[in-house]
Structures are given as structure tokens and as C-alpha cells.
Amino acid sequence: MVVQRYGRPHGRGSGAFAVTAALVGSLVGGSAVAGCAAPEDPKPAGDPLLTVRAAADALTRAGTAKASTSMEMAAGGTRVTIRGEGGYDFRRRTGRLQVMLPKDAAGTDEHRPITELLTPGALYMKNRGAGVPADKWVRVDTTTLDDGNLVTGGATDPAAAAELLRGAREVTYLGEVDLAGVKVGHYRGVADIAHAARVASPQLRGALAAAAKGFAKDTVPFDAYLDAEGRLRKVRHQFSFSNQGRTVAVASTTLLYGFGVRVQVALPDRRDIYAGKIKA
């Protein structure tokens, strides 16, 4: 697998976005809701800003959900999409995703699915490639990543995506839409990463604090879709960072459904974690 390093968002230490680069390879050269809507009506009964900021709390109350992720990356006229499927436990802040990489730029190479285990402060990956044995896991400390694992793993941690909304500002309610047969309210705004880090749940605070220092811009535009219970059903964040004089745009989308599903995450044994040098 050919690895291309993207560089860092802006002004941080070495190794920024190295994991994303390894995944993509040569493909690219706490506020309460101000009012509760009736179950059949997702329209906000109070301030849209407070409603969006409370979405993470609503997910914690819901417990678990199935998750689908999509990460679109564009640089130098080339666009690729990385997709993921799995489940997430918002109380334990743990999840499991199968991440699918697209074919290479020539459309010839198939990539094995990467299994990702999401936990507070750490990301575990299996079938990562880049010289890692197929039966070994790679462990990454997300509090040391320039993006706090909002981008690095090829799929935004669902809890981090929701916690980022705690820093929402300038939120506008755009109306009701149908999302896979569910009526949801559509909200648009920007999230202040540094503010989100300060008010985030303790398990996500370190990762978001790292992201607040790593991205070139302090704010992230978003579109969020909440159901009548205030649960986040879909969120799309638009990230961007500088790479050797050009801007790399990343659009990360997280879909949540099947609330209450059983989600099991078993962490690998220490002896199954790769301790060798990773190609980058």
C-alpha cells in the first residue's frame, strides 16, 4: 500500500493526519433543551441554539444506536469517499465500525475493510495496512492527534460529532424534512471547536481540545437533523486544513438510527496490539 502523508492542519507538531493518509494511501495524490416538541412534531419549541447544543445529551439518554458514516475528501481535483457501518454506545462512549476504503486512483486495487474500535481517548484499528500484520491492532491516542479523531480514522467518532455541537453558534432552523421515513428538524450553523472542548463530556474533552489546537479555523460549519426527542439523526460537518500550500476539504457525515440496539465492543488484548514501526 503506497502511503502519502498529508501534513498538518496548521502550526502543529509532526505526524498530523498521518493515519488518514495511511488509510487513503495513493487515492488522492451541556445545556438543557429549552422546550420539548411533541413526539410527532420535530419543530423546536424553544431556542434552536439550545436545542442543537443539547443533542449530545439526548443521545446519552437514548443509549445506543446503529451508525453509518461517510467521509468525502477533496484535494487537487481528486475526490474520494470512505464509508463506515457499525454501532455506538453513547453512555460508554464506545463503538465499533467497519470502514470501507474506495479503489485506488486507477480503480484497480481493492482494500480490505478496516475494523475500528472507538473508545474514550483511543482508536484501535485492524487491517490498517502500512506494514501492520493483518492479525494485529494499531492503537492511537486520540488526545495527541491534531484533529482529535474528527478526521484521522476516516470516520468521525459519533460521540465527538455530537459533542462538537455543544459549541454551536449562529444556529438557524430551516424547517422539517423527511429522513428515511422519520420527520426531523433541519438546523444549520457553525460550531466553535474550542468552546465545545471546554463544555464537552469528560471522556471527549481531551480529543476535542487537541482538535481546537490543530485545525486552521476555529469554527466548523454543520447541518444537523434532530428528531422529536431531540436525538441527532444526521450531522454533516465541513472541515478543511492546509497541506503543502493547498487546501484539503473534508465533509464528514454521520447517520444514527436503530436506537436501543445492542452494541458490544471488546478491546484487543495487549499482546495483539502492534508495537513495531508503522510505515508512513
Side-chain angles (χ1 to χ4, degrees), residues 83-107:
R83 302 188 185 279
E85 293 284 343
Y88 200 88
D89 187 324
F90 289 95
R91 291 175 182 163
R92 293 185 172 88
R93 309 299 191 199
T94 59
R96 183 184 181 97
L97 295 174
Q98 288 289 112
V99 177
M100 298 293 298
L101 301 180
K103 295 181 180 181
D104 68 5

Side-chain angles (χ1 to χ4, degrees), residues 84-252:
E85 293 284 343
Y88 200 88
D89 187 324
F90 289 95
R91 291 175 182 163
R92 293 185 172 88
R93 309 299 191 199
T94 59
R96 183 184 181 97
L97 295 174
Q98 288 289 112
V99 177
M100 298 293 298
L101 301 180
K103 295 181 180 181
D104 68 5
T108 55
D109 286 349
E110 294 287 350
H111 301 282
R112 297 179 63 186
I114 297 172
T115 300
E116 295 191 357
L117 304 182
L118 308 168
T119 69
L123 167 67
Y124 297 83
M125 294 181 290
K126 193 174 185 180
N127 295 332
R128 180 185 180 273
V132 179
D135 62 339
K136 295 293 184 180
W137 293 82
V138 173
R139 183 187 185 278
V140 180
D141 183 346
T142 55
T143 64
T144 66
L145 296 174
D146 288 339
D147 69 310
N149 199 33
L150 292 172
V151 173
T152 289
T156 300
D157 183 317
E163 292 285 339
L164 192 54
L165 296 179
R166 293 189 189 275
R169 67 188 195 194
E170 301 174 15
V171 177
T172 302
Y173 176 66
L174 299 180
E176 179 185 295
V177 298
D178 182 275
L179 181 64
V182 177
K183 290 183 179 180
V184 295
H186 181 190
Y187 300 81
R188 179 172 292 165
V190 295
D192 185 310
I193 306 177
H195 180 70
R198 289 192 295 270
V199 299
S201 299
Q203 301 96 322
L204 275 298
R205 212 165 281 165
L208 289 180
K213 298 175 183 178
F215 282 101
K217 294 183 179 180
D218 297 329
T219 57
V220 178
F222 69 83
D223 282 85
Y225 301 80
L226 279 60
D227 64 17
E229 297 179 48
R231 300 175 302 192
L232 186 66
R233 292 282 186 149
K234 176 182 177 181
V235 62
R236 179 179 174 89
H237 292 107
Q238 298 181 58
F239 304 101
S240 64
F241 59 92
S242 298
N243 174 53
Q244 299 179 352
R246 63 178 180 174
T247 299
V248 179
V250 179
S252 176

